[in-house]
Amino acid sequence: MKSNTFVMLGASLMLSLSFITGCLIISNERTESAESERMERTTADGKEILTLQETAQLLNLQEEQVTNIIKAENAILSNNGVFIGKRLPYYRIDNEFMFSRTELLGWVRAVAAENRIYQGNKMIR
């Protein structure tokens, strides 16, 4: 009788562990799928060329903060003659800043990897 109880207990334990493992796998796949869909939707819905306002929204910054980053990087280039690292990718048409979404996202990855710090219109690190 004891042996039968242990067998039932063991079988119940294995069944519950299998159920929990299956739920975790399904949950992880849904999370990855949702993240993938969100990224695809962002690039599909988004334009490739962005204005200053759209860039600020994408980076979750204010427009002034984006222009301060440009000023900080340009000041280093002017003072040192060289800028080490990747600069914020932009071009100007008349007085309007324009940004490539693809290049901008690459810049974000590079800046994050360098742990770069901007304060006002200065780059600290």
Side-chain angles (χ1 to χ4, degrees):
M1 198 60 137
K2 277 187 173 180
S3 174
N4 209 10
T5 305
F6 286 124
V7 169
M8 292 297 283
L9 182 63
S12 297
L13 182 62
M14 287 179 63
L15 182 62
S16 62
L17 287 175
S18 297
F19 180 74
I20 290 170
T21 304
C23 288
L24 289 172
I25 290 171
I26 290 171
S27 173
N28 190 33
E29 287 175 358
R30 284 186 180 171
T31 302
E32 289 173 358
S33 174
E35 181 67 22
S36 175
E37 273 182 39
R38 186 184 65 77
M39 290 299 287
E40 287 175 12
R41 200 170 42 249
T42 299
T43 54
D45 293 345
K47 302 184 306 186
E48 177 58 28
I49 305 300
L50 306 173
T51 64
L52 178 61
Q53 180 183 12
E54 293 165 334
T55 298
Q57 288 174 347
L58 179 67
L59 297 175
N60 199 24
L61 298 172
Q62 297 172 2
E63 290 179 37
E64 181 182 7
Q65 290 173 305
V66 176
T67 56
N68 281 341
I69 290 170
I70 293 170
K71 289 176 187 175
E73 292 178 349
N74 285 340
I76 291 172
L77 185 60
S78 295
N79 294 337
N80 301 345
V82 66
F83 185 89
I84 298 172
K86 191 167 183 173
R87 292 178 57 206
L88 182 67
Y90 74 93
Y91 59 95
R92 288 179 74 161
I93 296 179
D94 295 325
N95 287 330
E96 190 168 347
F97 290 100
M98 304 300 286
F99 303 85
S100 162
R101 177 186 295 272
T102 304
E103 293 294 319
L104 194 60
L105 295 176
W107 175 83
V108 168
R109 283 188 287 280
V111 169
E114 294 173 17
N115 295 319
R116 209 180 279 177
I117 299 172
Y118 294 93
Q119 189 170 20
N121 61 356
K122 294 183 180 163
M123 188 174 93
I124 298 172
R125 176 171 43 146

